Amino acid sequence: MKTPFAVLRTPLHRLALVAACCLPTIGCSGRSDVGRVDGVITLDGVPLAGAHVTFQPTSGGPPSRAVTDAAGRYELRYSRALAGARVGDHEVTISTLDKGNPDAEPPRPPRPERVPDRYNRRTTLTASVAPGGARFDFQLTGSTARTPDDAVRR
């Protein structure tokens, strides 16, 4: 009499069964304490390209970061392998300041801060990330021009 497991008579058949059971879970390594976060950032109505966006959990722990694209869009990364931010309340900072790196290949020139202090060094921005994630668009106003040297001296 054949048993239902008779088809698993070779190692290759067993491997195929294990793979069939496990494949649906690959790529689903999401965590319940991290939600996807994306959005668009504008400054005085214009998309803010190349801005560094940081969500720092108010309860402590590692921040999530992103850099905006040419259209001002961003998608936070909690780690290299995981998109999003920890669930809960965050202090949000947005900055375009870049001290540059003359030793980089190609060299990266410094960029001035175009975003007012109230959105970075003295931020008033907050966000509350839900378990399913959220979209946070930030419409910033009042551009400024501060060089990297000015920012260090203050």
Side-chain angles (χ1 to χ4, degrees):
M1 181 169 129
K2 282 190 172 183
T3 67
F5 300 106
V7 295
L8 301 177
R9 63 185 173 273
T10 69
L12 184 57
H13 289 115
R14 285 184 222 118
L15 179 63
L17 178 65
V18 169
C21 292
C22 294
L23 279 177
T25 63
I26 292 176
C28 297
S29 61
R31 294 172 33 176
S32 62
D33 64 334
V34 175
R36 289 187 70 99
V37 176
D38 64 9
V40 175
I41 299 174
T42 59
L43 179 60
D44 295 328
V46 178
L48 186 59
H52 297 271
V53 184
T54 304
F55 276 50
Q56 177 65 57
T58 57
S59 62
S64 294
R65 302 174 195 277
V67 177
T68 58
D69 66 12
R73 294 182 303 242
Y74 71 94
E75 182 177 355
L76 290 178
R77 301 294 307 176
Y78 183 71
S79 67
R80 288 182 189 207
L82 186 60
R86 282 188 44 202
V87 170
D89 296 330
H90 295 259
E91 179 181 84
V92 179
T93 60
I94 302 169
S95 175
T96 59
L97 184 66
D98 188 341
K99 294 179 183 179
N101 183 352
D103 299 326
E105 199 51 51
R108 195 177 73 235
R111 279 188 336 171
E113 179 66 82
R114 295 176 27 221
V115 178
D117 284 349
R118 69 180 174 273
Y119 303 123
N120 48 63
R121 294 188 317 160
R122 295 182 182 93
T123 190
T124 58
L125 300 174
T126 61
S128 187
V129 177
R135 178 180 178 92
F136 295 100
D137 294 333
F138 295 98
Q139 291 89 33
L140 313 180
T141 59
S143 63
T144 184
R146 194 170 70 234
T147 66
D149 289 338
D150 291 338
V152 172
R153 280 188 232 132
R154 287 186 185 194

